[in-house]
């Protein structure tokens, strides 16, 4: 297929423990820098075992990044130092811009059956915006448009646009697309992309192929440059998250929940956190 993106790298999620003892799967993170620029990390926290997630992520800081939490089953309670609080429920997205600094907590609660399913993506901020005022975009499930394309392919549009539908997020510096795609059994989804943008898919259900390579639940396919991608489902529907974004091509200094451009900036952030001067906008 002319100008079709080839697979550059296949990643498989790996179990890890974060927060106060949350069992989850890391899809990519620090060791993959900078191959998924502007994206930093993707965690898959799907679980049907409450003791694996209930301790949650107590109060912790962020600076220099955006965290995008997409809940597909269950509830996550959140709160921050500015007094914001609420619940991210099934189908909801929270797009949090940490900017100059925020201290918050995220406490998964699951649903009535004990299921807690979702994903958290970290996106980098450019040097020019790392110290902007923090902000939230709280997006409820009914605000996320769903569009049906050819061959019965359905797409929930969290960010970007496709098939005449536009996601509810805007004014995001990396100009992302974030789709939740379901491809009908035996069908192929073809999507045009900006050739200069990073693009990957993360499979969350079913089996299929892309660029001749097999993909299934828990598999990430990072694409090389190209004008479009093609993803085919096998004998059952294939569901995946599709992400594209404009690379920043900037140095990254990263330690824990804080991502800056230099070691000096990183040391300043942690010093301010310990001295109580971390929060700049109240």
């Amino acid at each position: 297929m002319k100008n079709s993106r080839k697979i550059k790298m296949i990643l498989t999620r790996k179990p890890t423990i974060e927060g106060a003892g949350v069992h989850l799967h890391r899809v990519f993170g620090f060791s993959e820098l900078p191959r998924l620029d502007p994206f930093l990390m993707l965690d898959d926290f799907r679980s049907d075992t409450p003791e694996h997630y209930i301790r949650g992520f107590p109060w912790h800081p962020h600076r220099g990044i955006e965290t995008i939490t997409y809940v597909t089953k269950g509830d996550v309670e959140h709160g921050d130092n500015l007094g914001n609080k609420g619940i991210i429920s099934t189908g909801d997205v929270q797009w949090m811009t940490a900017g100059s600094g925020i201290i918050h907590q995220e406490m998964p609660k699951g649903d009535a059956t004990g299921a807690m399913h979702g994903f958290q993506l970290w996106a980098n901020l450019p040097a020019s915006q790392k110290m902007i005022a923090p902000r939230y975009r709280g997006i409820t499930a009914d605000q996320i448009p769903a569009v049906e394309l050819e061959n019965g392919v359905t797409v929930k549009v969290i960010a970007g646009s496709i098939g005449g539908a536009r996601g509810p997020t805007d004014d995001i510096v990396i100009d992302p697309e974030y789709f939740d795609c379901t491809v009908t059994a035996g069908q192929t989804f073809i999507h045009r992309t900006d050739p200069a943008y990073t693009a990957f898919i993360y499979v969350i259900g079913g089996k299929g192929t892309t660029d001749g390579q097999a993909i299934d639940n828990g598999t990430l396919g990072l694409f090389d440059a190209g004008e479009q991608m093609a993803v085919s489902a096998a004998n059952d529907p294939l569901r995946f998250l599709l992400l594209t974004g404009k690379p920043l091509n900037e140095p990254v200094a990263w330690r824990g929940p804080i991502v800056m451009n230099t070691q000096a900036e990183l040391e300043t952030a942690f010093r301010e956190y310990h001295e109580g001067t971390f929060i700049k906008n109240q």
Side-chain angles (χ1 to χ4, degrees):
M1 189 177 296
K2 186 178 180 181
N3 297 320
S4 186
R5 286 181 180 255
K6 303 297 183 183
I7 284 292
K8 184 177 184 179
M9 179 173 63
I10 292 284
L11 295 173
T12 303
R13 62 181 182 175
K14 294 178 173 60
T16 189
I17 298 177
E18 288 289 354
V22 177
H23 296 244
L24 51 79
H25 286 86
R26 179 139 304 150
V27 185
F28 65 87
F30 184 82
S31 62
E32 281 72 45
L33 283 175
R35 288 177 286 184
L36 288 99
D37 178 22
F39 304 110
L40 296 165
M41 191 177 77
L42 177 62
D43 282 346
D44 178 342
F45 56 86
R46 289 177 290 173
S47 176
D48 297 323
T49 307
E51 54 264 35
H52 285 174
Y53 62 76
I54 202 69
R55 295 182 185 89
F57 304 89
W59 297 100
H60 60 280
H62 285 295
R63 176 179 286 181
I65 63 171
E66 296 185 293
T67 66
I68 303 99
T69 305
Y70 178 30
V71 173
T72 55
K73 188 182 291 186
D75 292 337
V76 177
E77 292 183 357
H78 72 90
D80 69 18
N81 60 284
L82 301 175
N84 298 308
K85 60 182 179 179
I87 297 175
I88 315 169
S89 294
T90 301
D92 294 350
V93 172
Q94 183 193 80
W95 200 296
M96 185 189 81
T97 303
S100 62
I102 201 162
I103 301 172
H104 77 154
Q105 65 174 352
E106 298 158 301
M107 305 303 289
K109 300 300 180 183
D111 65 8
T113 69
M116 182 71 255
H117 295 189
F119 311 90
Q120 186 169 90
L121 176 73
W122 287 17
N124 205 1
L125 286 170
S128 62
Q129 295 198 20
K130 284 196 178 294
M131 296 298 287
I132 63 173
R135 64 172 174 171
Y136 288 95
R137 296 174 180 86
I139 305 161
T140 56
D142 60 359
Q143 294 175 313
I144 299 173
V147 59
E148 184 169 336
L149 308 175
E150 296 178 0
N151 303 331
V153 175
T154 58
V155 180
K156 294 181 181 179
V157 189
I158 296 167
S161 61
I162 187 172
R166 177 171 290 278
T169 55
D170 56 13
D171 188 30
I172 300 171
V173 66
I174 61 170
D175 187 30
E177 292 177 315
Y178 190 163
F179 302 152
D180 180 347
C181 307
T182 301
V183 181
T184 308
Q187 299 297 324
T188 297
F189 170 58
I190 298 174
H191 178 58
R192 293 187 62 82
T193 59
D194 187 317
Y197 281 27
T198 298
F200 71 86
I201 60 170
Y202 178 60
V203 180
I204 61 175
K207 297 180 179 180
T209 59
T210 183
D211 186 31
Q213 299 203 41
I215 49 174
D216 60 9
N217 187 34
T219 300
L220 180 144
L222 173 65
F223 293 94
D224 213 335
E227 294 180 354
Q228 62 185 21
M229 63 177 70
V231 185
S232 300
N235 296 327
D236 294 304
L238 174 69
R239 186 180 179 188
F240 56 88
L241 307 179
L242 185 156
L243 275 297
T244 72
K246 182 179 180 180
L248 300 181
N249 297 312
E250 294 183 351
V252 173
W254 181 359
R255 190 194 314 160
I258 297 173
V259 182
M260 304 302 290
N261 293 100
T262 68
Q263 278 299 125
E265 291 170 340
L266 201 58
E267 290 167 7
T268 295
F270 278 96
R271 184 182 69 252
E272 290 179 346
Y273 180 63
H274 292 300
E275 292 176 350
T277 58
F278 183 77
I279 301 302
K280 305 300 181 185
N281 298 274
Q282 297 215 51

